[in-house]
Amino acid sequence: MAHATVQDLVEEQAEWGVEEWWRLDLRLFADTPRVQHALVMFAPPAPRRHEYTRFELRYVVQSMAYLFGLIAPLIGAALMARWASTGAWDSGFPLAAAGILTAASLAVTAYSEVQARRYPRAASQAAVRQLTLMHIVPGAVTVIVALWLGGGLLSDGAWIWLAVIAIDVAVHIVQLVRGPVRPGGPQNLVDNVRVSVAELSDDERARLRIERGRAISRLRERGLIDDALAARADATDLGMTALTIAPPPLLELPVDGSPRAADAPR
């Protein structure tokens, strides 16, 4: 069964306001998930709940992999802390388990870096800090416990796992220092929307502009928006309709649509 269209949304609404503008943009880009994901970062809760519902197995698997990559070092550190707290330091040394978990997490990080090079995106400073510290702190705990209490148990194989954990910590220190943006890539979260739209083909962008234009015309015909608002919405760049007409409270967009300081990652 085909998902509901933008025209369906226009026809079923008796009133048109902030949430409906966001629903229009999110539904317009339902078949272009990178654009939709960039937009949903700004959308109010109700439009997200209604429109950000597309299910694709590959994205579910990818999300699960990212989640595993996030918690694997924590599990490894917890195993080491539990071992240290029991006092049974001459048996059941869990460094190998912590190392294997970290190696798997490092593979997820490598995949994420490859994707980030293919599709560079800005992130919030808080998100980068949280992600990196959830690797750096557990990794440091694992290494300290292993060297401090497990020095006599460090065989040649154990040193390999320590090296893996140290590499993971070093990689995420670099990411923390690098910050939320990449040279030449989007410099803020609004830029993510623009770049995502620019990555679409010319034909896809043309199709989406036509679909949006028809929706805006129909809104004007139904009397849900006036001529001035219709003209303003029609003049916005593709992907910027809701951000311009119904921006989030902390986001300021001047007339030309270029981001101000409020857009900068935090």
Side-chain angles (χ1 to χ4, degrees):
M1 181 178 177
H3 61 264
T5 67
V6 169
Q7 296 301 322
D8 294 332
L9 176 67
V10 170
E11 296 298 338
E12 68 191 19
Q13 300 302 313
E15 297 180 346
W16 197 265
V18 170
E19 292 188 357
E20 287 71 30
W21 283 116
W22 280 101
R23 290 189 65 182
L24 185 149
D25 251 0
L26 291 174
R27 189 173 297 191
L28 181 67
F29 293 103
D31 292 326
T32 54
R34 288 192 180 89
V35 182
Q36 193 185 55
H37 179 72
L39 278 169
V40 83
M41 297 298 177
F42 299 99
R48 286 202 306 266
R49 185 171 61 253
H50 284 293
E51 306 297 339
Y52 195 56
T53 59
R54 189 176 182 86
F55 175 85
E56 286 193 31
L57 182 59
R58 60 174 175 153
Y59 291 117
V60 173
V61 172
Q62 182 173 287
S63 297
M64 292 176 64
Y66 286 152
L67 180 60
F68 171 81
L70 197 62
I71 66 174
L74 290 171
I75 297 172
L79 291 173
M80 292 295 291
R82 182 177 181 276
W83 169 81
S85 67
T86 61
W89 299 338
D90 58 347
S91 64
F93 192 41
L95 180 61
I100 291 170
L101 286 167
T102 302
S105 174
L106 198 55
V108 174
T109 299
Y111 171 79
S112 178
E113 281 292 305
V114 170
Q115 291 296 99
R117 288 183 178 277
R118 292 178 63 195
Y119 307 105
R121 296 292 185 268
S124 71
Q125 184 66 57
V128 171
R129 188 183 303 113
Q130 181 182 36
L131 171 65
T132 54
L133 291 179
M134 287 185 73
H135 285 260
I136 294 169
V137 174
V141 168
T142 299
V143 170
I144 290 170
V145 170
L147 293 176
W148 183 29
L149 299 177
L153 302 174
L154 294 177
S155 62
D156 291 341
W159 286 105
I160 293 175
W161 297 124
L162 271 181
V164 168
I165 296 166
I167 290 171
D168 185 64
V169 170
V171 165
H172 286 89
I173 289 175
V174 170
Q175 290 183 346
L176 179 62
V177 172
R178 184 180 62 196
V181 299
R182 295 169 179 269
Q187 297 300 294
N188 52 63
L189 301 184
V190 175
D191 272 356
N192 286 350
V193 179
R194 295 195 180 96
V195 169
S196 299
V197 171
E199 289 171 350
L200 302 176
S201 68
D202 291 342
D203 289 345
E204 185 73 358
R205 287 195 297 272
R207 180 188 68 79
L208 291 167
R209 284 193 189 95
I210 292 171
E211 188 174 355
R212 186 187 68 170
R214 287 173 178 167
I216 293 170
S217 295
R218 182 58 180 154
L219 286 170
R220 185 176 59 227
E221 290 172 4
R222 293 192 60 209
L224 297 178
I225 60 175
D226 59 27
D227 290 347
L229 185 54
R232 185 183 175 207
D234 217 19
T236 60
D237 291 339
L238 194 61
M240 299 297 294
T241 311
L243 280 166
T244 303
I245 304 299
L250 296 180
L251 182 70
E252 297 180 15
L253 289 175
V255 174
D256 64 1
S258 59
R260 290 181 176 172
D263 308 329
R266 289 174 170 79

